[in-house]
Amino acid sequence: MPKQVKLIIDTDPGIDDAMAIFYAAAAPEIELLGLTTIFGNVTTQMATRNALRLLEWLGHENVPVAQGLSQPRELPPFPPTAIVHGEEGFGDIPAAEPRGAKIKETAPEFLARMARELKGELVICPIGPLTNIAAALDLDPEFAKNVGRIVLMGGSLEEGGNITPHAEANIYHDPHAAECVFASGANITMVGLDVTHRILCTASYFDAMEAAAPRLGALINKMSRFYLHFYTTVGKHDGCSLHDPAAIIACTHPELFTPRAVPVAVSCNPETSGATLLASDARPSTDVLMTVDAIAVKRQFLSVMSNLD
């Protein structure tokens, strides 16, 4: 087996976050080193609870969870997106207190330390707003050089937005942090709506997951019903997008995507806040994923998730 990817997921669980974390825990080519939590789909405190619950369900309670920042860098806090993910983040599944606890380090401290200790090896996959990543850059001037790759779910180059006409939700919820990250010089891959809107999963797809993994697959299937229902309320009846899992899969299967290397900037102007644009300055390029073999990504996702139990 090829060398495992050493991965930390920065997350706001969230239904598709749960799918992404379950996938990462089950994928043989990933060594899951930790979860860091952020606001977005839920509050940061709820995200920490949910991250601990997911690891408990997986039997991976040895994986550390570090709690992140609770509001954007400059903007006032946003309310959680309960309409998409449910009041507690897992659709209709009620909240329950986990047995485990977060570690003492904050998310930025944990990220900066791990990047330093695993210089050039660590892959960080942020699947929520980029507030913790920007804070890690503040904390350690060498962070951008120390981290091997940042593979983030967010933004779009040509697809438009999903929370405003201009902006994808993760970038919109902290544009100032996102601009800091894209300008940092870190090795960044952007897994945005240009590809995730092409990866659509229907109810029957999640039924197959439950059939293959009756315990944890059933949990994901139950969560997916809430997520799929939201999509129908906005006129999308052909399935839900596989946003966050696509970013995890891009960490280990880049051959399933086609990147375009361009410098990316983020609008912080009120009219277009959160839009990801071609930068006009001399910052390094980001690998923006523009096309995807959606069938292969869905096959890969189902194959790994079928082994959850």
Side-chain angles (χ1 to χ4, degrees), residues 45-249:
Q45 189 172 7
M46 290 166 67
T48 300
R49 179 202 65 195
N50 288 357
L52 290 164
R53 283 288 287 154
L54 290 169
L55 292 171
E56 196 172 283
W57 277 326
L58 286 160
H60 283 55
E61 290 163 275
N62 59 321
V63 173
V65 174
Q67 184 162 300
L69 299 174
S70 59
Q71 64 184 59
R73 206 166 171 81
E74 295 187 27
L75 297 178
F78 290 90
T81 49
I83 190 173
V84 184
H85 296 273
E87 292 292 337
E88 301 294 339
F90 295 150
D92 292 324
I93 296 175
E97 285 306 310
R99 293 188 296 265
K102 66 186 180 183
I103 62 173
K104 291 181 180 178
E105 279 178 297
T106 66
E109 289 168 343
F110 178 68
L111 290 166
R113 176 175 65 83
M114 294 297 285
R116 197 162 50 241
E117 291 179 2
L118 296 167
K119 186 171 182 177
E121 289 187 80
L122 182 65
V123 178
I124 298 173
C125 189
I127 52 179
L130 294 171
T131 315
N132 289 333
I133 315 304
L137 287 162
D138 292 341
L139 198 61
D140 184 354
E142 298 299 308
F143 179 73
K145 293 179 183 175
N146 288 341
V147 68
R149 285 184 291 152
I150 297 173
V151 182
L152 65 92
M153 192 282 125
S156 81
L157 203 58
E158 296 177 353
E159 182 70 7
N162 65 350
I163 193 166
T164 72
H166 308 283
E168 180 277 329
N170 288 340
I171 307 298
Y172 180 80
H173 284 134
D174 197 342
H176 299 87
E179 168 59 12
C180 176
V181 173
F182 281 111
S184 69
N187 178 5
I188 300 172
T189 298
M190 182 175 114
V191 188
L193 303 182
D194 302 287
V195 290
T196 65
H197 273 177
R198 308 289 170 264
I199 311 166
L200 296 172
C201 298
T202 61
S204 61
Y205 181 85
F206 294 106
D207 286 340
M209 199 173 291
E210 177 171 355
R215 186 175 72 89
L216 295 178
L219 268 174
I220 295 297
N221 194 10
K222 186 175 181 184
M223 290 182 201
S224 77
R225 299 301 144 148
F226 192 97
Y227 202 44
L228 286 160
H229 174 71
F230 164 75
Y231 272 80
T232 66
T233 67
V234 293
K236 297 181 179 179
H237 299 277
D238 50 355
C240 61
S241 293
L242 209 61
H243 296 296
D244 293 345
I248 306 295
I249 291 169

Side-chain angles (χ1 to χ4, degrees), residues 7 11 22 25-26 32 37 105 123 138 181 189 281 285 291-292 296:
L7 185 69
T11 177
F22 276 19
L32 184 60
T37 63
E105 279 178 297
V123 178
D138 292 341
V181 173
T189 298
D281 58 18
S285 292
T291 67
V292 57

